[in-house]
Amino acid sequence: MRSTQIRSTFLDFFTSRGHRQVPSSPLIPSDPTLLLANAGMNQFKPYFLGEVTPDFPRATTIQKCARTSDIDNVGRTNRHATFFEMMGNFSFGDYFKADAIAFAWELLTQGYGLEKDRLWITVYQDDDEAEQLWRKIGVPADRIQRLGMEDNFWSMGVPGPCGPCSEVNYDRGPAFDRAGGPAVDGERYVEIWNLVFMQYQRGEGDGKGDFPILGDLAQQSIDTGLGLDRLAAILQDVENVCGTDLLRPTLTTVQELAGRDYPGSGEEKVSLQVVAEHARSIAYLIADGVLPAKDGRGYVLRRLMRRAIRHARLLGIDEAVLAPTTGSVIANLGDVWPELTAQAALIEQVVTAEEESFTRTLTQGTRLLNAAITRSRENRSTTLTGETAFELHDTFGFPVELTIEAARDAGLTVDENRFADLLAEQQRRAKAGGKAKTAEALRRQDAYRELSARHGRTDFVGYDRLDAEATVLGLISDGTVVPGAEQGSTVELVLDRSPFYAESGGQVGDTGTIRTADGTLLEVLDTKPGLEGFHVHTVRVTEGEIRAGEQVEALVNGARREAVARSHSATHVLHAMLRRTLGDHARQHGSLVDAGRLRFDFAHFSAVDRPQLAAIETLVNDSLLADPEVRVWHASRAEAEAAGATALFGEKYGDHVRIVDIGDFSRELCGGTHIGHGSNAGPVRIVGEASIGSNLRRIEALTGRDALDYYDTERRLLEELSTLLGTRPQDAPDALRKRLDTLATAERELSRLRETELRDRAQELAASARSVAGGLVVTEKLTGLTPDELRTLAQHTAGLLDTDHAVVVLGTEHDGKALLAAAITRSLHDTGTEASHILIPAARTVGGGTGGKGPLASAGGRLVAALDDALTIAAEEAGRTLGQ
């Protein structure tokens, strides 16, 4: 059974049983406690927590998931992967254990035709009910095993919904491993379906796997996950996930690049499977908006890419590997997951640039590693230090495995224990920082949930008006719900209805005021979303005091809102014109929409030059001047996408979406505020373009009044410049070029004259040389020299001295500092003498240090009065050096 049929069989089964088919959410989750979507239930978490009431009691999905917790097992086991499709069915307070178990058994044995006597069941050690339900359905007691919390109690790894689970395992037969059931944890019994009985809420864990149960959820629910990869391996009768139709085409591509057959075992097989499996993860992550970075989800992607490249090199693949392998993923799975096809150009650009960059890293790391190996040999050490391995890994991104391998080839070992200690310490610091942020976010989320559970969502009325009468539902200070706030305090405030737009989709939150009838005045500093549909206002109490339950009048700063709306509409137009000019790959990857200005991040593989920026700016302004209508409409997400609406990376959309059209050239899913007609948004002035990461660019622009002010500033500057040049504004560039040419000619002549003067002065200084035992010494205090001229003069003088061993030390005062320069003859340097050694005691005398290597050095310090003493000391040091 091919994977397409496996998917359709699953979805058809559950939709026919009253489940709503819900699209997969992006791999970038909206949940701040998650780095990447790692389970089918992620997008339904608010339903399980009772924060949001779903429009449907049952759902079914095929969710894209990414997990790297078992990354070291990829390629070494038959079942582990960093990306997988999780087929799931969910109940939100509708059915529970009995129906979930019955559905799973029926689909596996009838829908997929699996042999009943090859299915083994595990249940949580205290879950008598689940065992009885399985036995009632026909599973014999000897094929049901009870396991502990580590195996049969599910949570997302962070605070949130959790509960006992029951897993369905398939016996692949004695050819894979020993008998004994799933409890033996081998390759023979493969977990294919996990049924989670969601009934509890967990708290923060202790880092060792234990966590407190905070209580029951508002309703008992079901969350299940059936792994497509694992089921496909069984139904297609292949050894592991790389042999399925999901990955086999990509594995074949890797084999062709390596020029190798698929081996039955060994490290070569591991590397082939790692490259193929990671290529799939890489393609999906980039398609969903993840780009390589030094931390966060971007680091997960970078690690996968570098790991794939490293294993490709181990296979002898010296050419590019990521572009062809991710290309095979797109060709194989793009029909099922159209975002792969839509982002094909971007995926190719990102992986190509990253592979080229990492190849340079490998080259640089190899050079540094070879130098470290040479030093170890010179010191007669048999060990490469853990500090060296860690620096290569942490600073240069050089894989420690390659360090160990290269050291072994050179007859050395690596202090892996010290490396592990340094790595663990770094991870502890990172985890501590992340844990603190997570704990703070969780406290605030708990406070939001408390208020939401009592009062429900915020009624946002700000699309149609800028004021509203409202009731204060609650106040939050330092993550805790408080009864009130006094004058001078800054707190978070929640209203039952609000005209304030909460920051979202790049658009900043509204500001304004909130007043009570008795004169209390609150300044609204910002507005952000707390939970879904739940607005949180950051306020400063400027007069009086505010308490929960009070009636207030909320008023948005209208001028600021209008300026923000202009920037938002301009952002949509800029997005459309970038794609028209640069190509469809130049899609939005982030934005800031603020009053009078915008920042727009987009995918592109090179800098946008000035002529292109000018052309894009003209296109944007021409489009706005044509005064296109800005129209807002609503539809199902499927209808919107069918109509060509652009969905932005990382944004979360429901089944029913809001679409913003600007003329006939821009159509985007958007929840932000906009002006009514294009002419209200302009003008737009692009003021900057730069790189913010691999294949990621940023444009900054001004809009409306701010753009006009910028134009006015440029005009006044041009007028002032033309006045200084004594010409008309339109002639100023040519006049300035002529002046600069004249100035450059004069500077060259002055430099030539100065060089002649320095050479003449060097002749005079060389004639003043004093003989000492072993050579000649010149010391002199000079005036009117720059640091460069002082060094040049010392070097010229040393070159004129008719002896093999000579030292020149010169000093001067420049910009309030004492400067020294020392030059020695090449023959003296060849004996092992460094010019800097002669200046060390003199540098201390003027309160500074030395710089430079070889036959020329310099020094400087703030103690100008000590310059004469420093020259005397340097002369004495020169004499000692020559007399050795």
Side-chain angles (χ1 to χ4, degrees):
M1 185 182 289
R2 292 185 58 79
S3 56
T4 51
Q5 189 179 350
I6 297 173
R7 294 189 194 92
S8 62
T9 298
F10 186 90
L11 294 174
D12 290 347
F13 179 89
F14 283 105
T15 54
S16 69
R17 287 157 179 79
H19 292 67
R20 169 80 67 84
Q21 182 177 333
V22 179
S24 171
S25 65
L27 286 169
I28 300 177
S30 58
D31 188 335
T33 64
L34 287 175
L35 198 63
L36 293 165
N38 62 4
M41 60 79 61
N42 289 165
Q43 65 174 311
F44 302 123
K45 183 178 173 182
Y47 300 162
F48 289 122
L49 287 172
E51 297 168 357
V52 178
T53 301
D55 297 330
F56 42 86
R58 303 179 177 195
T60 183
T61 67
I62 299 177
Q63 173 65 45
K64 297 176 290 187
C65 296
R67 282 185 208 164
T68 56
S69 54
D70 295 317
I71 191 171
D72 291 331
N73 289 324
V74 172
R76 299 189 179 279
T77 71
N78 293 322
R79 62 190 190 278
H80 285 101
T82 57
F83 173 88
F84 52 92
E85 296 177 44
M86 187 63 82
M87 304 186 293
N89 59 288
F90 306 88
S91 163
F92 312 117
D94 187 10
Y95 61 83
F96 200 49
K97 291 183 184 179
D99 286 334
I101 288 171
F103 286 151
W105 188 255
E106 180 183 355
L107 179 55
L108 289 175
T109 59
Q110 297 181 34
Y112 293 122
L114 298 182
E115 304 95 316
K116 294 180 180 179
D117 59 0
R118 299 185 75 167
L119 296 176
W120 286 66
I121 308 299
T122 63
V123 297
Y124 182 53
Q125 58 191 9
D126 298 331
D127 196 345
D128 297 331
E129 180 187 7
E131 180 179 356
Q132 290 303 316
L133 287 168
W134 283 114
R135 293 180 65 176
K136 183 177 179 181
I137 214 167
V139 181
D142 61 359
R143 290 213 308 276
I144 302 175
Q145 295 181 328
R146 291 182 182 241
L147 299 177
M149 179 169 282
E150 182 178 353
D151 296 294
N152 276 74
F153 198 96
W154 190 90
S155 80
M156 289 191 299
V158 294
C162 65
C165 62
S166 181
E167 296 175 350
V168 183
N169 302 265
Y170 184 80
D171 181 1
R172 303 205 71 184
F176 284 86
D177 212 332
R178 62 190 183 280
V184 303
D185 193 26
E187 291 286 328
R188 176 170 174 173
Y189 302 93
V190 180
E191 175 211 333
I192 54 175
W193 204 342
N194 188 9
L195 314 178
V196 179
F197 310 128
M198 200 76 71
Q199 57 192 108
Y200 305 120
Q201 183 172 343
R202 63 160 282 186
E204 183 67 50
D206 61 3
K208 300 177 183 177
D210 292 331
F211 50 81
I213 300 297
L214 302 180
D216 293 336
L217 293 173
Q219 57 189 13
Q220 292 182 331
S221 299
I222 289 294
D223 156 33
T224 86
L226 173 59
L228 174 62
D229 292 60
R230 296 184 182 185
L231 182 58
I234 292 167
L235 295 176
Q236 295 172 18
D237 194 24
V238 294
E239 180 186 33
N240 58 49
V241 297
C242 284
T244 67
D245 65 337
L246 295 162
L247 278 173
R248 183 71 216 196
T250 305
L251 182 64
T252 300
T253 300
V254 182
Q255 289 177 243
E256 291 171 350
L257 290 169
R260 300 172 186 241
D261 292 329
Y262 188 52
S265 61
E267 292 302 309
E268 185 176 307
K269 178 181 180 182
V270 171
S271 291
L272 285 166
Q273 294 180 161
V274 166
V275 177
E277 196 283 330
H278 284 9
R280 179 175 61 166
S281 301
I282 291 163
Y284 277 89
L285 286 167
I286 297 172
D288 269 10
V290 181
L291 291 173
K294 294 180 180 179
D295 54 17
R297 57 180 64 96
Y299 178 72
V300 173
L301 173 61
R302 176 162 283 166
R303 184 185 180 197
L304 288 167
M305 297 168 87
R306 293 187 167 187
R307 200 165 186 267
I309 295 166
R310 185 175 68 81
H311 278 276
R313 300 299 181 262
L314 293 176
L315 291 168
I317 304 174
D318 294 326
E319 59 189 297
V321 69
L322 294 184
T325 52
T326 54
S328 74
V329 172
I330 297 167
N332 184 39
L333 297 168
D335 289 342
V336 179
W337 298 99
E339 58 268 37
L340 291 173
T341 303
Q343 300 303 325
L346 175 64
I347 293 169
E348 181 179 7
Q349 290 151 13
V350 171
V351 299
T352 299
E354 187 70 13
E355 185 160 5
E356 289 174 353
S357 173
F358 187 51
T359 299
R360 290 192 295 270
T361 293
L362 288 176
T363 302
Q364 181 185 25
T366 300
R367 186 168 58 249
L368 295 170
L369 177 58
N370 289 339
I373 289 172
T374 300
R375 287 195 302 271
S376 295
R377 284 172 166 169
E378 289 173 349
N379 295 330
R380 298 183 179 178
S381 173
T382 60
T383 304
L384 200 65
T385 67
E387 283 79 4
T388 297
F390 182 74
E391 182 184 10
L392 285 166
H393 162 80
D394 188 54
T395 305
F396 302 102
F398 196 79
V400 69
E401 297 90 345
L402 290 186
T403 300
I404 294 170
E405 182 181 333
R408 184 174 60 244
D409 292 343
L412 303 175
T413 60
V414 175
D415 188 347
E416 295 183 54
N417 291 332
R418 178 60 178 155
F419 172 83
D421 290 343
L422 291 168
L423 184 61
E425 178 59 31
Q426 182 197 57
Q427 291 171 340
R428 276 194 296 271
R429 289 195 300 268
K431 188 173 182 181
K435 196 169 183 179
K437 291 180 182 178
T438 300
E440 179 184 353
L442 289 170
R443 282 198 308 274
R444 297 161 74 94
Q445 291 286 313
D446 287 343
Y448 299 155
R449 289 191 188 102
E450 180 181 336
L451 293 176
S452 178
R454 285 191 221 156
H455 307 291
R457 304 185 190 188
T458 304
D459 179 16
F460 175 59
V461 297
Y463 286 133
D464 304 315
R465 54 191 300 178
L466 298 178
D467 64 318
E469 294 182 356
T471 301
V472 178
L473 300 182
L475 299 111
I476 301 164
S477 178
D478 295 327
T480 302
V481 177
V482 295
E486 299 178 346
Q487 184 171 322
S489 58
T490 299
V491 296
E492 293 182 313
L493 177 144
V494 177
L495 301 173
D496 64 335
R497 63 200 306 261
S498 174
F500 292 92
Y501 180 83
E503 179 182 327
S504 181
Q507 180 175 330
V508 298
D510 279 334
T511 61
T513 58
I514 295 175
R515 294 180 182 272
T516 65
D518 63 3
T520 294
L521 176 63
L522 312 178
E523 181 184 1
V524 180
L525 306 174
D526 196 7
T527 310
K528 293 182 181 294
L531 306 172
E532 185 177 345
F534 190 74
H535 291 203
V536 178
H537 312 79
T538 301
V539 301
R540 181 167 54 234
V541 185
T542 56
E543 295 179 25
E545 62 178 13
I546 189 71
R547 303 193 68 81
E550 289 197 69
Q551 301 297 306
V552 297
E553 181 182 3
L555 179 65
V556 174
N557 181 332
R560 180 175 180 273
R561 162 74 81 82
E562 186 177 1
V564 172
R566 282 196 291 268
S567 294
H568 204 153
S569 297
T571 299
H572 283 220
V573 178
L574 174 62
H575 189 191
M577 297 309 130
L578 279 169
R579 290 170 62 189
R580 178 184 294 182
T581 304
L582 304 178
D584 194 58
H585 66 274
R587 289 175 175 259
Q588 180 174 343
H589 275 260
S591 66
L592 172 67
V593 178
D594 205 342
R597 67 189 183 99
L598 64 89
R599 188 178 69 214
F600 190 82
D601 302 339
F602 61 100
H604 193 52
F605 44 84
S606 63
V608 184
D609 59 32
R610 287 183 179 275
Q612 284 180 309
L613 281 178
I616 291 166
E617 181 180 282
T618 299
L619 278 173
V620 170
N621 284 309
D622 285 349
S623 300
L624 293 173
L625 280 172
D627 200 27
E629 181 184 0
V630 179
R631 188 171 70 92
V632 175
W633 53 290
H634 297 81
S636 70
R637 181 171 180 180
E639 290 170 336
E641 290 178 348
T646 301
L648 304 184
F649 283 138
E651 290 296 311
K652 183 178 180 181
Y653 303 101
D655 289 337
H656 201 66
V657 293
R658 183 173 183 264
I659 305 102
V660 175
D661 287 352
I662 301 181
D664 60 359
F665 53 82
S666 173
R667 171 168 289 171
E668 295 189 15
L669 304 187
C670 180
T673 63
H674 290 266
I675 41 82
H677 286 80
S679 60
N680 302 137
V684 173
R685 181 70 164 100
I686 295 176
V687 295
E689 190 274 348
S691 169
I692 58 169
S694 179
N695 298 306
L696 198 60
R697 311 297 300 182
R698 170 172 290 171
I699 279 179
E700 297 192 54
L702 301 174
T703 60
R705 168 55 60 187
D706 291 78
L708 290 172
D709 288 345
Y710 190 88
Y711 282 121
D712 190 52
T713 299
E714 289 181 321
R715 177 185 57 78
R716 285 187 282 105
L717 287 172
L718 179 59
E719 288 176 350
E720 183 178 353
L721 179 62
S722 59
T723 299
L724 291 171
L725 291 170
T727 188
R728 298 179 302 171
Q730 59 265 38
D731 297 329
D734 285 339
L736 181 58
R737 272 191 289 271
K738 290 177 182 178
R739 293 284 181 95
L740 290 174
D741 288 343
T742 301
L743 180 60
T745 301
E747 286 178 340
R748 285 193 298 270
E749 179 61 19
L750 183 62
S751 177
R752 186 186 64 78
L753 293 172
R754 188 62 169 163
E755 179 71 16
T756 301
E757 183 182 345
L758 288 176
R759 290 189 180 278
D760 292 343
R761 189 73 176 104
Q763 293 280 1
E764 296 173 8
L765 289 170
S768 69
R770 305 187 315 278
S771 296
V772 298
L776 297 174
V777 174
V778 175
T779 58
E780 188 76 30
K781 180 180 178 181
L782 306 167
T783 59
L785 296 178
T786 67
D788 284 343
E789 289 172 343
L790 188 70
R791 287 190 295 270
T792 299
L793 184 56
Q795 200 169 27
H796 283 342
T797 304
L800 293 172
L801 295 173
D802 188 20
T803 180
D804 287 341
H805 292 176
V807 177
V808 177
V809 180
L810 306 179
T812 191
E813 179 186 347
H814 183 77
D815 284 346
K817 292 180 67 176
L819 300 181
L820 295 160
I824 62 177
T825 55
R826 177 63 62 180
S827 298
L828 181 58
H829 178 253
D830 290 342
T831 66
T833 301
E834 295 284 329
S836 60
H837 296 165
I838 296 169
L839 287 184
I840 289 173
R844 284 197 291 264
T845 303
V846 295
T850 63
K853 292 182 179 181
L856 181 65
S858 59
R862 292 289 180 188
L863 304 179
V864 177
L867 181 57
D868 289 333
D869 292 339
L871 283 168
T872 300
I873 291 170
E876 293 171 353
E877 185 66 27
R880 279 193 292 271
T881 299
L882 291 171
Q884 292 176 355

